[in-house]
Amino acid sequence: MRRVSIIFVMMLLMMSTTTFAAFNRTAGLPTILIGEVRGYGETELIPKYFDDFRDELATALRQSKKINVDVSRVMSTSAQPSDEDKLFSLLHKDAIAHSPLYRREYANAEMIRYGDMIMGGGDPKKGKQYYQNDEITKQRSKLAGKPYDLTFTAVNEVKKLGQKYGADYILFVNLRDADVWRKTGGIFGTGTTEELRGKKIQVELEYYLINTRTGKVFEGQNAEKKTSLTTNVLIGKYGNNFKVQDMVNYVLEDQAKKVAAGVLGKAIKAIGGN
């Protein structure tokens, strides 16, 4: 009898876990898994801002009440990433490499190596020539805004991850460049957070939404430079003594809302369905 009771308790715990997971999702709504927010641009960004942006993005998506958002997968920042960390990174890079708007000259070394290998059929030299061919670049740019495919093996991995997480879509964000400039330069990558009054702010990012059933990808881009408008908003909120960190937080939140709007307004419509 005691053995039966133990088994029964274990079953209840398992059911409770499943029910809790289902409780956090609204039936009938598609689910987006935020796979990775990272910077594959030439500028090295502080990892903290990836986490901050991920949180802002999840909040913006949830507030729409049109989508379930899964943030259960936390990207490792350790020197020894797990196999799944590596897989998500590979999928992110694969989406970037196949993008009609990928610009090799603004990517970091890791992204360049991957793109050259995959688009060169394993030969980095051919990959480099592929991206530097003006005619190919011209033809690729005509496909901007249209869904495209990942590498065949990447599509298979996406399908497996979709089943594992119960996700209809996986969302990646390449926070390629973000900076608040002062007379002495930018703060991202330098660790400076206490300087006052940024002179100019610049954010450049791409987001990639992947349909886990088809492997189809939609890419959206945001690139903004704000000066007086942002400054005026911050003065109204914090007064004349706002810090650069206040400006960074404001811009991250603003960009997250715009990515969420793009995902819900364009991306899902472009690659939705089976």
Side-chain angles (χ1 to χ4, degrees):
M1 184 69 179
R2 180 178 176 79
R3 182 181 178 185
V4 174
S5 297
I6 292 174
I7 293 174
F8 181 69
V9 170
M10 290 177 66
M11 289 178 64
L12 280 177
L13 288 171
M14 292 173 64
M15 290 173 63
S16 296
T17 302
T18 304
T19 304
F20 179 75
F23 180 75
N24 284 303
R25 295 188 180 186
T26 302
L29 294 182
T31 297
I32 288 181
L33 170 69
I34 299 183
E36 180 182 66
V37 176
R38 191 170 164 188
Y40 289 100
E42 58 181 343
T43 304
E44 182 180 353
L45 308 183
I46 298 173
K48 174 184 181 299
Y49 295 104
F50 302 143
D51 296 333
D52 290 347
F53 189 85
R54 179 176 179 270
D55 293 341
E56 294 288 357
L57 179 56
T59 298
L61 286 167
R62 287 196 186 101
Q63 286 176 341
S64 72
K65 297 183 179 180
K66 295 179 180 179
I67 200 89
N68 292 315
V69 184
D70 187 337
V71 291
S72 61
R73 213 205 79 77
V74 179
M75 188 67 187
S76 172
T77 57
S78 67
Q80 296 182 325
S82 68
D83 289 340
E84 188 171 88
D85 289 333
K86 294 176 183 177
L87 175 59
F88 273 87
S89 176
L90 181 146
L91 294 174
H92 194 172
K93 288 183 288 189
D94 203 74
I96 295 172
H98 287 88
S99 161
L101 298 177
Y102 169 54
R103 298 181 67 180
R104 182 180 183 274
E105 64 271 29
Y106 294 121
N108 64 14
E110 179 184 353
M111 184 63 235
I112 289 173
R113 284 194 299 270
Y114 181 85
D116 287 354
M117 286 291 290
I118 205 72
M119 301 306 282
D123 185 340
K125 185 176 180 180
K126 290 182 179 179
K128 180 179 180 179
Q129 293 170 347
Y130 172 85
Y131 284 122
Q132 294 180 341
N133 184 303
D134 291 340
E135 185 58 34
I136 290 176
T137 300
K138 182 179 179 180
Q139 293 303 317
R140 278 168 59 91
S141 65
K142 293 180 180 180
L143 300 175
K146 298 179 181 180
Y148 60 92
D149 297 308
L150 298 173
T151 304
F152 178 75
T153 52
V155 172
N156 290 335
E157 295 298 335
V158 163
K159 290 179 179 179
K160 293 176 185 176
L161 289 170
Q163 293 174 352
K164 175 180 178 179
Y165 286 94
D168 301 287
Y169 304 95
I170 301 178
L171 178 61
F172 294 93
V173 177
N174 177 25
L175 192 58
R176 181 161 50 84
D177 188 20
D179 232 326
V180 180
W181 288 89
R182 309 178 311 275
K183 291 180 179 179
T184 54
I187 70 160
F188 283 81
T190 67
T192 304
T193 57
E194 296 302 322
E195 296 288 342
L196 299 177
R197 296 299 292 274
K199 299 295 183 182
K200 181 183 75 173
I201 189 150
Q202 175 176 298
V203 174
E204 295 179 1
L205 63 83
E206 296 91 34
Y207 62 90
Y208 304 87
L209 188 71
I210 305 175
N211 184 318
T212 59
R213 294 181 297 279
T214 65
K216 288 288 184 181
V217 187
F218 178 87
E219 177 196 16
Q221 292 193 332
N222 284 352
E224 293 195 12
K225 294 181 180 179
K226 294 189 176 183
T227 51
S228 59
L229 177 61
T230 301
T231 301
N232 290 338
V233 170
L234 289 165
I235 289 175
K237 188 173 183 179
Y238 298 105
N240 288 322
N241 294 323
F242 69 84
K243 292 185 169 66
V244 165
Q245 186 63 47
D246 298 326
M247 182 177 274
V248 172
N249 292 338
Y250 169 78
V251 171
L252 289 177
E253 180 181 356
D254 181 57
Q255 287 298 308
K257 290 178 179 177
K258 289 180 178 176
V259 171
V263 167
L264 297 169
K266 296 180 181 179
I268 290 180
K269 293 178 181 178
I271 61 171
N274 298 319

